[in-house]
Amino acid sequence: MIQRKGITPATFDLFADEAAQPPATEQIGPRSWVLRGFALPLMARLLPALEAVLNQAPFRHMVTPGGYTMSVALTSCGQYGWTTDRSGYKYSPVDPATGQPWPDMPEVFLELARAAAEAAGFHGFEPDACLINRYIPGAKMSLHQDKDERDHGWPVVSVSLGIPAMFLFGGHARSDGTQRVPLFHGDVVVWGGEDRLRYHGVMPIRQAEHPQLGEQRINFTFRKAR
Ligand code: MD6
Ligand code: FE
């Protein structure tokens, strides 16, 4: 670390001084936070747990009620899984592909979701659903609200893994402006309270390669569905 004494040259490196590092926690709304790198200490347990879930319930491309096949591939674990088909969006206790219950939520997933919610000021969060999204370069998520859960008093905890994404965080109307929030491997976004129904989405993912996950971004969103 560079010791700065007295006047700093105009060309000084903004991030050479630890005090100038980007903050580990960024507030993006009254009750919305980005916890930078929050999942990194659990990564050695998260990735094998993810692999076990995927062996039981592989990613698949679902169809929206409007008849479009999503560019993002989905699966779920926990008591409920989020699904979509021509008949609508819903939480289901079984995987429609197999008729079997979704894989159990791995303990390390629960630990992460609880700790992140707590860190963002939401106490006692016990998710019963974890939606897992996979983006390959070019995949995107259009602006939407998360409103299929019974009680919007609980927050959503969203974990990013793999290649970066540009997250769009809007307002309460689809036409409101959006903030652009870059999300990287290990970042966690938590939002709830008055922000719970804000529109949000993900811009088309840019080509990149992650050392552990390759050319993909994986996102977990933890919710309390029921
Ligand atoms: C994603 N996330 O980051 C998509 N929804 O891949 C979401 O749609 C989302 O990140 C609710 C809360 C947090 C999220
Ligand atoms: Fe969402």
Side-chain angles (χ1 to χ4, degrees), residues 133 135 141 144 146 156 158 167 191 200 202 217 219 221 223:
N133 298 138
Y135 298 73
M141 179 82 74
H144 66 278
D146 286 20
V156 179
S158 165
F167 187 65
W191 80 68
H200 58 278
V202 176
R217 169 177 185 258
N219 170 262
T221 55
R223 306 99 185 269

Side-chain angles (χ1 to χ4, degrees), residues 40-204:
L40 293 176
L42 293 175
M43 203 56 73
R45 294 169 57 210
L46 281 174
L47 295 182
L50 169 64
E51 203 172 296
V53 167
L54 295 178
N55 283 334
Q56 226 183 303
F59 284 120
R60 75 294 304 267
H61 289 273
M62 292 186 186
V63 177
T64 65
Y68 294 97
T69 299
M70 294 179 69
S71 61
V72 175
L74 312 178
T75 188
S76 287
C77 63
Q79 222 180 319
Y80 298 98
W82 186 88
T83 67
T84 173
D85 61 19
R86 287 307 300 251
S87 71
Y89 304 131
K90 59 172 172 287
Y91 279 102
S92 167
V94 296
D95 178 347
T98 60
Q100 294 298 117
W102 296 101
D104 287 337
M105 187 136 22
E107 188 58 34
V108 62
F109 282 35
L110 274 174
E111 280 174 40
L112 174 59
R114 290 176 183 138
E118 192 66 35
F122 297 96
H123 309 295
F125 181 54
E126 288 290 332
D128 58 11
C130 175
L131 170 64
I132 307 172
N133 298 138
R134 182 192 62 197
Y135 298 73
I136 58 171
K140 66 179 174 69
M141 179 82 74
S142 305
L143 283 183
H144 66 278
Q145 294 171 293
D146 286 20
K147 57 179 183 189
D148 301 317
E149 300 73 29
R150 185 170 287 160
D151 180 355
H152 297 144
W154 294 108
V156 179
V157 171
S158 165
V159 178
S160 292
L161 304 177
I163 65 178
M166 190 62 81
F167 187 65
L168 299 172
F169 193 45
H172 284 92
R174 189 186 292 278
S175 57
D176 288 347
T178 56
Q179 301 177 58
R180 292 177 177 212
V181 182
L183 295 178
F184 304 95
H185 184 65
D187 289 350
V188 180
V189 183
V190 184
W191 80 68
E194 66 204 89
D195 294 327
R196 181 62 174 71
L197 293 177
R198 285 172 71 162
Y199 278 87
H200 58 278
V202 176
M203 288 181 64

Side-chain angles (χ1 to χ4, degrees), residues 29-41:
R31 300 210 64 197
S32 304
W33 303 87
V34 180
L35 311 175
R36 295 289 178 197
F38 193 88
L40 293 176

